[in-house]
Amino acid sequence: MAIVVLAANTRSMPKLDGSVKDKIFDFFAKVRADDTAPGLHIEPLKGAVDARVRTGRVDLNYRAIMFRVDDKFGDATYIYFGTWKHDDANKLAVKSTLRVNPVNGVLEGIVGQLDGKADRKKRSVVPDPGGVLARLAAQPVLGYLTRAGYVLEQLTDRLGLDAELATEVLAAPDQEGVFAVAQTTEVAWQQNAILDLAVGRSINEIRETLGFTEQPLDTALDEDAQILAALAHPATRMQFTLVDDNDELRRVIEEGDFKAWRTFLHPNQRKFVEKHQRGAFRLSGGAGTGKTVVALHRARHLAQQNPDARIVLTTYNKTLAKTLLDDLRALDPTLLIADNPGDRGIYVAGIDRLAAAHLRRNKDQDEAFAAVFGPGTGVRNRKNLKPERDWTEAIAATKTTLDPRLAHASFLNAEYLSVVLGNQVTTLQEYLKVPRAGRGVRLSRPQRAAVWQLIEQFRKSGRTAGHLTFPEILAVAAADLRWRAESTGNSVADHVIVDEAQDLHATHWALLRALVAEGPNDLFIAEDSHQRIYGQPVVLGRLGINIRGGRSSKLTLNYRTTAQNLHFAIGILEGAQYRDLEEGEESTAGYTSARLGPAPRLVQCPSSIDELQEIANQLTTWTSTDGISPGDIAVLTLGVQERGLVVRALGERGVPAEVLDEELPTGDRVQVLTMHRSKGMEFRCVILAGVDRDHVPSQQRLRGVPEEELGEAQQRERSLLYVAASRARDQLVVTWSGQLTDLVNK
């Protein structure tokens, strides 16, 4: 039975309709079963540059280009590069090559060009003393990277770039020029190496990231054996994947672009997917760097390592959790999805639902209620769980002497959540002593006593009504999990993976810590502090989660957003200082994109009416002129009121649009959603609407925030705009009337 390996589609491969994709699947299913079947017409080509190249008959009009590589027993592996019309496939195949780079051991496959011109990307990387390398080295070009200290021999002899490509990289006049050269190669490792050079990474850092070794080739092996060995190289697996069964084969072929996030991982991503961690681990990175992708693959990897493992995959809310579940099923439909936390398989849910699910399965909660609220405070007859109650009732019912700026719902809620519930405080004496690290407002002893009076009234009202807020549910669930683990010695989960962790608060972290015992591969945390748009910052070390001592790393290569859009989004963060989950400085240094595109378009409008018309015009251009599907387009607004206004205005102007709230996109209309709702999503084209100085940042959300906490609240508004701007894959348009917000750098 032949083995099939798929290579990521080249840019030159034409788009194929569904009927052709079905035939490709049938063709390779037959190849896997019996590659000698005469109907396949797998044939070598006369005059081919590489004797391994073959074409096979998909149907009378289309042929597949692939390379046949035989192992020592004569069994065949077919490495598939794409399908073209019959004549084009043969013309391309004779000029296509497959080889192992002698410098770094990575497998490289190059499909030829139809114009007959020499393909720069095919050039060999064979040392030639006294030849081109010597001549180029003698006449260095002082480009951007040359001025930074890089020299030709580093790029050729240490990385494995060919001399001509390396010279083009060194000659690029600026960083954007280096990015542009990176886009000219279809070899994945080359593109990534050049992007890393552009952001100043050292040769050794790049080699380590891409998994290069000092002795990449086993010279005792013949060429075919070297190619088969190279398939296991981390950088090879960025572009080539072994297909084990026909179901996987169909999924990959039907995607057209192979849904690269599912199949091909950067070596740096794969490292975090597969690495055995000695304890909790934090993976950070900017928007679009693939943190969620790593989290999904990590869940799959752990499940494959131990089919009996109990794995929890969770995130900030139910909408993001639904997306995670859909993507996990798309990644591998064979994975066992657990119905409840504690069951064998992968349980996927938003973290609030996770807490509620645990409490539903464990009715005896007296110990947990006592730990959170004090002895004798169980709520045995509580009604349906409600959203958070309004603190104004507690303030009105208490004759407080507290400063009005502190007797405010936003301050009290944050204090209750972070300090009281986060530390299981049940008495005034405990509250007077508990540290309040991270809280912007300092409280005197009398002020603490006054705050506690309001908290007691808040709790009393809840007990009387039989209600619990969501943070209280989390705290009770965490306490119950701890009590049961201490009583039985067993935890609910073997592994916990959390995505969008920057938006979790203290009781969330208490629950996560209680779900799984401390030990190898216990907690995997994916987060980006620049995207924190909810709540207060936390320090994990103070919450019993140790990620110090090499238990953190960072992704910097953006796969979603073009370099132009990324530059715009990062500019929004300038002027603010961010801290990570261990109070270290969080920087955007080194962030880069693997893609290029048009610069964001900034459109100032004379009035709000004109702005709505401009939005309608842009949407019409994208859908009617550019042929972009409406479902690939989003208009992001600051709030719900603005969202409704945009949908109505677009309808009046004949542009089909719909509100996107908790449900997933339908795909046949332009999606209009709030910036908050856009977290975790991406669209081909995005319009940021109403980004004027009067509304961004939101004065409504900042109103009433204590002065000491105002800076933190303003930073959340900045992060919100960053999140919104980084949703666009290809094109970003920003509209406003009046004056542009100060958060945007023109």
Side-chain angles (χ1 to χ4, degrees), residues 425-550:
V425 172
T426 62
T427 67
L428 172 60
Q429 288 70 31
E430 291 174 346
Y431 181 60
L432 292 174
K433 297 177 182 178
V434 68
R436 298 178 60 255
R439 299 291 287 138
V441 180
R442 293 190 176 189
L443 297 179
S444 65
R445 186 179 180 88
Q447 285 175 319
R448 285 204 189 198
V451 169
W452 183 255
Q453 185 183 23
L454 291 169
I455 290 173
E456 281 196 316
Q457 179 60 45
F458 179 80
R459 284 182 157 182
K460 179 181 177 181
S461 299
R463 289 196 300 270
T464 300
H467 294 165
L468 289 177
T469 65
F470 281 113
E472 288 172 335
I473 295 168
L474 287 158
V476 171
D480 188 70
L481 284 163
R482 282 193 298 271
W483 175 73
R484 293 180 188 279
E486 292 168 359
S487 302
T488 65
N490 296 319
S491 297
V492 166
D494 300 305
H495 313 287
V496 174
I497 300 169
V498 55
D499 192 29
E500 299 287 356
Q502 70 278 350
D503 283 318
L504 303 183
H505 54 60
T507 54
H508 287 135
W509 290 110
L511 176 73
L512 293 170
R513 179 67 282 171
L515 277 170
V516 59
E518 290 189 58
N521 304 316
D522 54 350
L523 274 167
F524 187 91
I525 300 160
E527 66 93 27
D528 176 15
S529 297
H530 294 120
Q531 295 189 67
R532 188 172 58 77
I533 60 177
Y534 298 104
Q536 299 288 324
V538 299
V539 179
L540 292 187
R542 297 171 184 159
L543 299 171
I545 299 173
N546 177 21
I547 56 171
R548 293 185 180 276

Side-chain angles (χ1 to χ4, degrees), residues 302-322:
L302 292 172
Q304 290 175 332
Q305 293 291 106
N306 178 12
D308 293 324
R310 302 160 302 159
I311 302 167
V312 170
L313 174 61
T314 189
T315 187
Y316 179 75
N317 62 32
K318 62 182 180 182
T319 305
L320 293 176
K322 175 65 166 61

Side-chain angles (χ1 to χ4, degrees), residues 595-607:
R595 303 173 58 239
L596 293 177
R601 193 165 72 91
L602 278 60
V603 184
Q604 182 176 18
C605 303
S607 69

Side-chain angles (χ1 to χ4, degrees), residues 7-79:
N9 278 1
T10 64
R11 289 191 288 268
S12 57
M13 180 174 166
K15 291 185 177 180
L16 303 172
D17 62 33
S19 63
V20 177
K21 292 178 183 178
D22 288 340
K23 293 175 182 178
I24 296 171
F25 165 74
D26 291 338
F27 171 79
F28 278 106
K30 293 174 182 176
V31 170
R32 294 184 74 250
D34 180 10
D35 65 310
T36 65
L40 298 175
H41 291 273
I42 298 176
E43 302 164 352
L45 286 94
K46 185 178 180 180
V49 174
D50 191 325
R52 300 177 188 86
V53 74
R54 302 285 189 274
T55 63
R57 190 170 76 179
V58 173
D59 66 12
L60 291 176
N61 297 314
Y62 285 91
R63 294 189 71 83
I65 295 179
M66 49 194 177
F67 290 83
R68 174 174 174 146
V69 184
D70 293 333
D71 65 16
K72 62 182 179 181
F73 302 107
D75 294 328
T77 293
Y78 289 95
I79 302 177

Side-chain angles (χ1 to χ4, degrees), residues 698-710:
S698 170
Q699 298 308 306
Q700 180 181 356
R701 284 194 288 267
L702 297 178
R703 192 174 299 118
V705 176
E707 183 179 349
E708 295 88 342
E709 298 183 352
L710 187 59

